């Protein structure tokens, strides 16, 4: 049968319509299956199959008898065309009103300016604290150290560290409210 398909492709290269009709009847079911599996849409696969056979008719002279089995060549033509159909699909348009609901979580320039200003105020208030207590506050609330880690780092009992942090936060709040 492979030789028959190869001969039919060669006859199609000579523009033999009867050979083309016979080639179609022998191979269309298999090629349709290949295309349908790729496209997942029966109507699209039917349209693609017609275009594939036009390509086969126009390019039959490019079939190299010794390079591929005839059926493999036909399947490659069908597969490549189906992939081209997928690439050519237009993305599904979204109604502009639906896009309105998409939020932009990035900060606005105004929010960035406020954050920068707040950061400077916090830095100024931290400078008013004792140096060790300011380092402890940064360690706890910026770097994420636990009370135990900070107590060990500053060589103080854990309850002392908790007191430092609580009193430092109270001082920071008072400074920021000014």
């Amino acid at each position: 049968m492979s030789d028959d398909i190869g001969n039919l492709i060669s006859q199609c290269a000579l523009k033999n319509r009867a050979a083309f009709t016979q080639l179609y009847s022998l191979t269309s079911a298999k090629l349709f299956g290949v295309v349908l599996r790729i496209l997942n849409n029966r109507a699209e696969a039917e349209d693609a199959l017609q275009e594939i056979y036009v390509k086969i008719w126009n390019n039959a002279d490019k079939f190299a008898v010794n390079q591929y089995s005839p059926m493999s060549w036909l399947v490659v033509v069908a597969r490549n065309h189906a992939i081209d159909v997928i690439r050519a699909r237009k993305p599904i348009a979204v109604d502009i009103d639906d896009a309105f609901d998409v939020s932009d979580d990035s900060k606005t320039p105004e929010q960035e300016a406020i954050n920068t200003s707040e950061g400077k105020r916090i830095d100024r208030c931290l400078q008013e604290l004792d140096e060790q207590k300011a380092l402890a506050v940064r360690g706890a609330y910026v770097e994420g150290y636990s009370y135990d880690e900070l107590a060990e780092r500053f060589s103080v009992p854990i309850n002392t560290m908790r007191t430092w942090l609580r009193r430092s936060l109270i001082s920071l709040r008072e400074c920021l409210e000014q």
Side-chain angles (χ1 to χ4, degrees), residues 54-93:
V54 169
K55 283 185 177 183
I56 291 168
W57 175 258
N58 291 330
N59 297 311
D61 59 332
K62 294 180 180 147
F63 171 66
V65 177
N66 296 329
Q67 190 173 5
Y68 295 109
S69 78
M71 197 63 200
S72 295
W73 183 77
L74 294 172
V75 168
V76 167
V77 171
R79 177 188 165 277
N80 290 346
H81 182 77
I83 291 170
D84 290 343
V85 168
I86 289 173
R87 288 180 182 149
R89 286 179 182 162
K90 291 183 181 176
I92 299 171

Side-chain angles (χ1 to χ4, degrees), residues 4-20:
D4 292 340
I5 294 173
N7 290 334
L8 291 172
I9 293 172
S10 297
Q11 288 298 309
C12 289
L14 300 172
K15 305 302 181 198
N16 181 334
R17 290 178 186 268
F20 183 72

Side-chain angles (χ1 to χ4, degrees), residues 5 22-32 53 71 74:
I5 294 173
Q22 193 175 2
L23 179 68
Y24 182 86
S25 60
L26 286 174
T27 60
S28 62
K30 171 124 175 132
L31 296 185
F32 181 72
Y53 276 97
M71 197 63 200
L74 294 172

